[in-house]
Amino acid sequence: MALWSGRFESGQDEFLQRFGASLPIDQRMYAQDIAGSIAHAHMLAAQGIISAHDADAICEGLASIQQDIQHGTLAFDISGEDIHMAIEAELTRRIGDAGARLHTARSRNDQVATDTRLYAKALACKLMEAALDLRRALIEQAQRSDQVIMPGYTHMQHAQPVIFAHHLLAYSWMLARDHERLLAAYRAADTCPLGSAALAGTTWPIDRGATAHELGFAACTENSLDAVSDRDFLLDLLHACSVMAVHLSRLAEEIVLWSTAEFGFITLSDAYSTGSSIMPQKKNPDFAELIRGKTGRVVGDMVSLLVTLKGLPLAYNKDMQEDKECTFDAADTLIDCLTCATGMIATMTVHADVMRRAAGEGYLAATDLADYLAKKGLPFRQAHEVVGHLVLLCEKRGCDLEDLSLDDLQAECDLFEADALRCLDLRSIVDARTSQGGTAPQAVAQQIAHATDALARDGRLCADLGSGCCVQ
Ligand code: ARG
């Protein structure tokens, strides 16, 4: 019999019980539910709403339930409906009437909102930590690749030479912004709805500040109707997850490309590659492809919750029970993707020679040659035109700009002097881009230092937040 069965004459059939249940999904929030109930019981006793004796029995009973769940010796059956009712029913079975007093001045509506917020905070912390690991792997790989010249691309066409470390660090900054988004999601979840009861508040003389404080929330929610209806904090978390998944997908796509025979820029370690069941020679970047592929799931999870919430009137509606599966799926998927990407980046082999050779093709010196003429006073548009002609000449001869002689250059424009040949050297081209955030090794070294500082700062911040209850 369900805990709410008083006004019903007949029971629920098994299929509908299963259809209505969220226990298989929300049982992983047991630690949050128990923490919320313990804080509630402490507050009820402090306010004289239940006796200290009952509160002690409740807290002891809940602690023993938590232990049994952790040891795997307590299995809930589906008649529990959700983790909140399953734990309450088990508590009452163990300690009798005191257990049945726990739900005074509380509804499952504020209870589930509280548990979910605690869980969302813990998930945000776990995601931040996993992203910190990937940032560290990127920075370490960048430190090893700070002299490696590769072609930089626009439109997937050779554009200008860059340092491979510079390219890798771009992803560390994306992840640093993801950290900010996760932090915002954490803060969005950091308000306590407990005490809002079903929707309108309660007649009991509760102390909402006390429960919020005991549970480690920064504040209490202001409006009981909003408190039980709000799932914005999950949307924020799902948005942060979606953007990060898109970042990982872009990185994964580059890894797939770089490990092709056509590029050959990197070789993935055997551990992060798979073979083919028919083609003995194959070494496939399956895991990079999977990271790219799983982005669809994560973005789908965000869309799923947006659509679930759209059109819901205030306050609680059972539709909202659908909020957890997509959130957990997105976070779990992303944590696995981050773990996988971290190992992949840390263990890949970088082929500096191949990258350097590729950078020698595709007229990557063209911009610098045009800049050379512009610095000699030729309007940039005309300089652009002159170099365009030189590129055409190379195409006809089947060579690159580096292969042209000073005579070739001067035949096109008499402003070229001997020092122009230095503009054709990839190393000098790279070294010259000393602007902040640019690709010159000294600018990249500065960037590595900044990225390392940002990593340390975000790591400290994450440790200070503390994730409260663990997440399963
Ligand atoms: N299992 C429900 C959920 O996840 C808990 C809240 C149910 N409240 C209610 N009045 N039926 O949303």
Side-chain angles (χ1 to χ4, degrees):
M1 274 298 195
L3 292 178
W4 40 252
S5 62
R7 57 103 62 234
F8 290 85
E9 287 181 345
S10 62
Q12 235 178 6
D13 81 28
E14 214 191 299
F15 162 70
L16 289 174
Q17 250 182 27
R18 244 186 304 118
F19 186 67
S22 57
L23 188 60
I25 306 296
D26 61 26
Q27 57 185 346
R28 59 195 262 177
M29 304 199 306
Y30 72 86
Q32 286 69 22
D33 193 70
I34 287 172
S37 289
I38 289 175
H40 185 64
H42 285 156
M43 183 278 292
L44 290 179
Q47 296 298 104
I49 299 171
I50 62 171
S51 69
H53 184 263
D54 279 350
D56 287 346
I58 289 171
C59 294
E60 273 168 36
L62 288 170
S64 72
I65 290 175
Q66 175 143 358
Q67 265 192 2
D68 292 350
I69 297 175
Q70 275 159 359
H71 294 149
T73 51
L74 176 62
F76 297 114
D77 75 86
I78 210 72
S79 65
E81 189 176 322
D82 57 28
I83 189 63
H84 326 292
M85 298 226 284
I87 288 178
E88 192 190 324
E90 178 63 19
L91 180 69
T92 306
R93 198 185 64 69
R94 291 187 185 195
I95 65 166
D97 277 358
R101 291 203 174 92
L102 170 62
H103 211 53
T104 313
R106 184 175 77 169
S107 153
R108 257 190 306 156
N109 299 348
D110 57 342
Q111 187 180 358
V112 69
T114 305
D115 295 1
T116 309
R117 281 171 176 271
L118 287 172
Y119 204 85
K121 283 170 64 177
L123 281 179
C125 286
K126 207 171 163 183
L127 282 157
M128 280 185 239
E129 279 161 16
L132 287 169
D133 289 341
L134 177 55
R135 283 164 69 181
R136 194 169 305 112
L138 285 162
I139 294 170
E140 283 169 8
Q141 187 61 262
Q143 281 163 335
R144 294 195 287 276
S145 314
D146 64 348
Q147 297 298 326
V148 177
I149 295 178
M150 71 181 289
Y153 297 82
T154 63
H155 312 270
M156 266 319 277
Q157 305 290 319
H158 285 197
Q160 291 173 356
V162 294
I163 297 290
F164 187 51
H166 189 197
H167 195 117
L168 288 174
L169 286 170
Y171 286 98
S172 90
W173 294 113
M174 295 182 205
L175 290 162
R177 294 195 294 277
D178 291 329
H179 183 93
E180 294 297 314
R181 267 180 284 273
L182 285 168
L183 201 57
Y186 177 98
R187 292 192 174 126
D190 200 16
T191 320
C192 188
L194 200 58
S196 302
L199 73 164
T202 175
T203 57
W204 295 92
I206 59 170
D207 180 352
R208 292 194 55 207
T211 40
H213 183 259
E214 182 168 338
L215 291 170
F217 282 106
C220 295
T221 53
E222 293 286 350
N223 179 312
S224 61
L225 287 164
D226 180 39
V228 294
S229 314
D230 175 23
R231 295 294 183 271
D232 293 358
F233 59 98
L234 294 182
L235 290 176
D236 290 346
L237 186 61
L238 283 163
H239 175 253
C241 286
S242 299
V243 177
M244 180 144 60
V246 169
H247 290 158
L248 293 191
S249 182
R250 296 178 75 170
L251 175 61
E253 164 65 10
E254 302 221 73
I255 288 174
V256 170
L257 278 177
W258 291 340
S259 40
T260 56
E262 286 72 12
F263 276 78
F265 287 2
I266 59 162
T267 303
L268 289 178
S269 70
D270 282 1
Y272 287 90
S273 312
T274 52
S276 154
S277 57
I278 177 170
M279 296 168 282
Q281 85 284 13
K282 289 302 288 288
K283 186 170 171 185
N284 294 328
D286 275 27
F287 299 112
E289 293 167 73
L290 263 181
I291 292 173
R292 190 178 58 189
K294 283 182 188 287
T295 309
R297 263 173 91 128
V298 176
V299 174
D301 286 327
M302 178 184 71
V303 174
S304 160
L305 185 58
L306 278 166
V307 179
T308 299
L309 294 175
K310 176 195 169 296
L312 287 190
L314 300 185
Y316 178 83
N317 299 275
K318 185 76 166 176
D319 317 42
M320 287 158 67
Q321 180 165 287
E322 292 294 311
D323 62 354
K324 284 171 278 300
E325 193 167 359
C326 51
T327 306
F328 298 166
D329 181 68
D332 294 348
T333 302
L334 199 54
I335 286 165
D336 286 350
C337 289
L338 284 163
T339 307
C340 187
T342 302
M344 202 178 294
I345 293 291
T347 59
M348 70 189 189
T349 306
V350 176
H351 300 300
D353 52 334
V354 181
M355 290 192 187
R356 172 67 184 76
R357 214 177 309 126
E361 287 164 17
Y363 323 111
L364 273 78
T367 314
D368 291 68
L369 218 45
D371 276 344
Y372 173 91
L373 293 175
K375 282 174 191 161
K376 298 254 166 183
L378 192 67
F380 185 78
R381 273 290 144 250
Q382 289 172 31
H384 188 287
E385 173 92 11
V386 169
V387 180
H389 290 154
L390 289 172
V391 168
L392 210 57
L393 176 69
C394 288
E395 270 189 350
K396 285 187 183 141
R397 286 197 196 159
C399 68
D400 207 283
L401 289 168
E402 282 178 287
D403 306 314
L404 295 180
S405 67
L406 186 56
D407 285 347
D408 292 328
L409 301 186
Q410 284 172 339
E412 201 55 57
C413 176
D414 55 15
L415 287 173
F416 281 121
E417 293 176 65
D419 61 344
L421 295 176
R422 214 168 343 114
C423 292
L424 299 176
D425 171 50
L426 289 182
R427 174 54 66 185
S428 335
I429 294 174
V430 163
D431 286 352
R433 284 177 166 67
T434 51
S435 53
Q436 194 210 331
T439 210
Q442 73 199 73
V444 170
Q446 201 172 53
Q447 207 191 132
I448 290 178
H450 289 170
T452 308
D453 287 350
L455 178 70
R457 192 197 51 231
D458 290 345
R460 279 194 302 274
L461 211 141
C462 197
D464 286 351
L465 284 180
S467 53
C469 305
C470 59
V471 286
Q472 304 300 312

